[in-house]
Amino acid sequence: MTKPEDFYTSDDSPGRRARSGMWRGIQRHTAPLQANKWFVSDRRSFVLGMATTVVIGLALVGTWTLTRQAFENAQPQPLRLERAYISAINEFEHVLPFVTAKVSQTPQSKEELTQRAQQLSLIDAAISQLRLQTNVIDLSPLIRERLRQLYAMKLQILQQMIERGEIDL
Amino acid sequence: MQDDNHWVTRAKSGNQRAFKVLYDENVTPLYRFLKQFSRGDEEVHEWVQRAFIKAFEHIDSFDHRSKFSSWLFRLAINEMKMDRRREHIVRFESLEALGDVADSEEPSFEWHHTMKSWMGELDDTKRMVFILYEVEGYSHAEIASVIGIAESSSRTLLTRAKRILQDHWNKEMKQ
């Protein structure tokens, strides 16, 4: 074996300037490649991230819907009936602003409309009072029956107003 | 001190600073080896840069079974051979002529600095084998892989190179 320092002379080794110069030349070719690698990597991560977000979002919506359905199905029959009443009344009440707007223009007497409005507000007050007295999920059979009657009355009045053209659908 | 494998792994993930460490550790051995085959500094600069650029571009294919320096030498030698072929300068010994049988007699050999001036009389392949084995400390198996020849051919070429240099030395001594 021959030692490298015995074989090579100092002229054989690159000086500092030569080493830096060669590295600059190498960098010119490798730097864009590196940037490109990062870009490709970033783009891939972005696409994967977006796909994952969509999948997680769909999974969450599905889970929430199933949970809500399961919760609603698990509720006792009287509560589900009450929710149906409330839902129906809410739907009617969404169109109530049109009634008040039409009051002065309808041929019906103002007195009749005022009576209906009073009836509705009385029913609402009675419902609110009953609701304040007890918890939603802890209704006694008597209160539940009374609430059903009030809901039915309110629905009946609203139905009559629709049939007589007092609510402009 | 981290070994080459550590820096190669980091360079594979696009870390240019890790690649710079590999450059700093390997540029001098590679440069002075290639210098023995060049006609000027510009040519060596070219080979070194092309070898490192190739290494960076194909670093994912480096499988860690050999040393990084061996792989780099192989890339550099390929660049050099490509230029030689392009210039129609064929200074490589025909390997077919060597046959499979290695020269069995190992000549007694001792390096003398005067021998450096006779290195030019060796063809490129003999010179490569001689330097890689005698100076850089490569095994015949590693040389075979780096140059792309059979291991037995490496032994034969080394024996012949030593014989040529030793004969010159003996003649010099007689005068």
Side-chain angles (χ1 to χ4, degrees):
Chain A
M1 279 287 292
T2 307
K3 288 179 184 173
E5 52 269 30
D6 291 339
F7 181 82
Y8 297 116
T9 63
S10 57
D11 288 345
D12 289 333
S13 296
R16 180 179 284 188
R17 282 184 65 186
R19 284 201 304 268
S20 313
M22 285 187 289
W23 176 245
R24 280 197 298 276
I26 293 162
Q27 254 188 325
R28 272 198 295 275
H29 288 83
T30 57
L33 276 171
Q34 189 190 34
N36 194 32
K37 270 186 180 179
W38 279 111
F39 175 71
V40 168
S41 172
D42 280 354
R43 195 173 52 181
R44 197 182 299 140
S45 298
F46 176 75
V47 171
L48 284 173
M50 289 299 286
T52 309
T53 306
V54 169
V55 169
I56 290 172
L58 289 173
L60 283 174
V61 168
T63 308
W64 184 77
T65 308
L66 281 173
T67 310
R68 197 185 60 176
Q69 274 180 351
F71 178 74
E72 284 175 0
N73 291 338
Q75 285 183 332
Q77 188 69 20
L79 279 179
R80 288 166 66 185
L81 190 67
E82 191 190 327
R83 289 173 68 87
Y85 270 125
I86 293 171
S87 175
I89 289 167
N90 283 341
E91 289 299 317
F92 276 127
E93 284 178 342
H94 275 143
V95 292
L96 272 182
F98 295 106
V99 180
T100 49
K102 287 269 180 183
V103 165
S104 56
Q105 297 167 17
T106 54
Q108 301 291 333
S109 67
K110 280 189 178 179
E111 195 180 341
E112 203 173 325
L113 276 173
T114 310
Q115 275 177 3
R116 288 195 199 287
Q118 280 174 350
Q119 283 172 338
L120 284 173
S121 63
L122 282 171
I123 292 168
D124 283 341
I127 290 171
S128 300
Q129 203 171 2
L130 279 174
R131 286 234 155 271
L132 282 172
Q133 281 173 10
T134 184
N135 197 329
V136 178
I137 55 169
D138 186 27
L139 299 175
S140 69
L142 191 67
I143 294 173
R144 200 178 296 140
E145 185 56 37
R146 180 73 184 131
L147 267 175
R148 266 188 219 159
Q149 286 172 357
L150 290 169
Y151 286 141
M153 278 171 67
K154 191 172 177 178
L155 277 174
Q156 205 175 1
I157 294 167
L158 289 167
Q159 191 183 354
Q160 282 173 1
M161 289 173 81
I162 290 168
E163 283 171 358
R164 291 179 187 184
E166 292 168 3
I167 296 176
D168 190 18
L169 295 173
Chain B
M1 179 100 181
Q2 306 279 6
D3 64 355
D4 276 359
N5 277 337
H6 168 79
W7 297 113
V8 169
T9 306
R10 293 188 66 181
K12 277 183 176 180
S13 61
N15 186 331
Q16 206 179 30
R17 286 175 68 186
F19 193 71
K20 176 70 164 59
V21 174
L22 291 170
Y23 171 81
D24 288 338
E25 284 179 0
N26 291 283
V27 66
T28 300
L30 182 66
Y31 185 98
R32 65 191 184 189
F33 170 78
L34 293 172
K35 186 84 186 279
Q36 311 310 310
F37 305 90
S38 74
R39 290 162 295 190
D41 288 347
E42 285 303 311
E43 201 173 36
V44 189
H45 287 195
E46 181 76 15
W47 291 334
V48 168
Q49 289 180 76
R50 273 158 51 189
F52 274 102
I53 290 165
K54 280 263 166 73
F56 187 85
E57 287 173 352
H58 300 284
I59 198 150
D60 285 338
S61 66
F62 178 67
D63 56 11
H64 298 264
R65 279 190 292 185
S66 61
K67 289 186 289 185
F68 177 76
S69 56
S70 306
W71 185 61
L72 189 66
F73 270 58
R74 188 164 72 208
L75 295 174
I77 289 167
N78 283 342
E79 293 301 315
M80 184 175 76
K81 282 182 174 177
M82 211 157 63
D83 281 3
R84 291 277 187 261
R85 282 194 206 101
R86 200 178 293 139
E87 295 161 12
H88 305 290
I89 303 169
V90 182
R91 300 180 66 199
F92 299 97
E93 180 162 326
S94 166
L95 297 174
E96 287 79 11
L98 288 172
D100 288 334
V101 183
D103 290 11
S104 56
E105 285 183 37
E106 183 80 15
S108 58
F109 180 80
E110 192 185 346
W111 172 257
H112 302 280
H113 201 71
T114 322
M115 290 176 171
K116 189 85 184 277
S117 57
W118 303 325
M119 291 295 289
E121 292 183 26
L122 303 178
D123 63 70
D124 285 348
T125 319
K126 279 199 199 80
R127 214 179 323 159
M128 273 182 210
V129 172
F130 180 83
I131 298 170
L132 288 174
Y133 186 90
E134 274 293 315
V135 184
E136 299 292 342
Y138 281 56
S139 68
H140 283 296
E142 285 174 318
I143 293 169
S145 162
V146 167
I147 305 182
I149 58 172
E151 207 175 315
S152 58
S153 302
S154 173
R155 290 180 202 284
T156 305
L157 289 166
L158 178 69
T159 305
R160 290 183 184 177
K162 282 181 175 177
R163 193 168 287 156
I164 290 168
L165 294 172
Q166 195 63 46
D167 286 350
H168 265 289
W169 175 254
N170 293 341
K171 279 181 197 166
E172 189 84 2
M173 288 295 103
K174 280 180 187 170
Q175 284 173 4

